[in-house]
Amino acid sequence: MMFWSNISKIFFEELKRIITDKGAFLIMIVGAISYSLIYGLTYCNQVVREVPVGVIDNDNSAFSREVIRDIDATEQIKITMHLNTMKEAVDEYSKDKIKAFIVIPSDFEKDILSGKGSDVVLEADSSYMIIYRQVYSGVLSVVTNLSSKVAIVRNTLKTKDLDTSYAMQVPFNYVQVPLFNPVSGYENYVFPVILLLILQQTMQIGRASCRERV
């Protein structure tokens, strides 16, 4: 009993010192609550979704429109503008109305059907890695999926066997199982580390200011 009594006494004495000391109270109580609210709200969305993206469709064909619809259907990207020129796209990007833009070249469908292949160009700022990764992964998933469909159709025309063509193009299925962070978000692993780091740095600044006053 004496041990727990001493522990309780020490605890309440230290708590009283923290409350009565303005510097300690500001750092350990107000700082902890403020940082928890601020950074909690910052990372509450977990994953960036529906990033506003513009598109320049120089082909305006059925296949190019299908590519645009599939990109817009991804959770990462939302097509918000249909643009006509690169200058217009750069201007809208500079105004921060879009975070990236996609360019589909002319003769896109014609080149795909003829077997030449074509490009889907993504213009994005890679300095903002969170947004860039989402936009890039969204476009890549659509282009990869459509490329596989085109290859399956071509193989089917040659082999006359859809199952064989599918097996040749997709020999195995990819199953992703994220561990410890199932939503693949930032709050679950970034926020606790950032909060501890900021509080530790804040306490160091507080100790330095106390030494200067002494």
Side-chain angles (χ1 to χ4, degrees), residues 175-186:
V175 180
Q176 181 178 359
V177 183
L179 301 176
F180 311 114
N181 188 11
V183 298
S184 300
Y186 298 98

Side-chain angles (χ1 to χ4, degrees), residues 49-55 76-83 87-102 123 125 131 135:
R49 293 185 174 90
E50 295 191 344
V51 178
V53 173
V55 62
Q76 297 99 325
I77 298 173
K78 183 175 181 60
I79 302 295
T80 57
M81 289 187 178
H82 289 264
L83 308 163
K87 183 180 183 304
E88 184 182 357
V90 172
D91 289 342
E92 296 299 332
Y93 175 81
S94 301
K95 296 175 184 176
D96 202 32
K97 292 184 178 180
I98 54 175
K99 299 298 184 182
F101 56 91
I102 300 164
E123 299 279 350
D125 183 5
I131 292 179
V135 174

Side-chain angles (χ1 to χ4, degrees), residues 18-209:
I18 292 173
I19 295 174
T20 54
D21 187 305
K22 293 182 179 180
F25 181 79
L26 182 64
I27 295 171
M28 302 186 68
I29 306 299
V30 178
I33 295 174
S34 300
Y35 286 134
S36 298
L37 291 175
I38 293 171
Y39 282 89
L41 291 173
T42 302
Y43 292 101
C44 66
N45 289 328
Q46 292 273 19
V47 179
V48 178
R49 293 185 174 90
E50 295 191 344
V51 178
V53 173
V55 62
I56 303 174
D57 186 1
N58 293 320
D59 190 44
N60 197 27
S61 61
F63 193 64
S64 67
R65 289 192 291 271
E66 181 182 356
V67 172
I68 294 170
R69 284 194 303 270
D70 288 352
I71 291 175
D72 188 41
T74 63
E75 67 172 9
Q76 297 99 325
I77 298 173
K78 183 175 181 60
I79 302 295
T80 57
M81 289 187 178
H82 289 264
L83 308 163
N84 298 314
T85 63
M86 286 289 291
K87 183 180 183 304
E88 184 182 357
V90 172
D91 289 342
E92 296 299 332
Y93 175 81
S94 301
K95 296 175 184 176
D96 202 32
K97 292 184 178 180
I98 54 175
K99 299 298 184 182
F101 56 91
I102 300 164
V103 182
I104 298 178
S106 56
D107 296 329
F108 177 71
E109 184 179 65
K110 179 181 176 181
D111 291 341
I112 294 295
L113 294 177
S114 64
K116 293 181 181 179
S118 188
D119 299 320
V120 175
V121 181
L122 171 65
E123 299 279 350
D125 183 5
S126 60
S127 62
Y128 199 160
M129 286 303 299
I130 295 175
I131 292 179
Y132 175 77
R133 184 178 69 88
Q134 290 297 90
V135 174
Y136 172 77
S137 62
V139 174
L140 181 63
S141 64
V142 170
V143 171
T144 302
N145 185 45
L146 289 176
S147 297
S148 297
K149 288 182 179 179
V150 171
I152 289 172
V153 171
R154 287 177 182 167
N155 291 332
T156 302
L157 293 175
K158 294 178 181 178
T159 63
K160 307 299 181 180
D161 187 347
L162 178 60
D163 293 335
T164 301
S165 300
Y166 184 84
M168 290 170 59
Q169 187 62 33
V170 188
F172 59 88
N173 293 320
Y174 170 68
V175 180
Q176 181 178 359
V177 183
L179 301 176
F180 311 114
N181 188 11
V183 298
S184 300
Y186 298 98
E187 184 181 17
N188 291 345
Y189 75 97
V190 171
F191 173 64
V193 178
I194 288 179
L195 181 60
L196 291 174
L197 178 62
I198 291 176
L199 288 177
Q200 188 264 344
Q201 291 176 342
T202 306
M203 293 180 69
Q204 285 184 342
I205 295 172
R207 292 194 193 101
S209 62

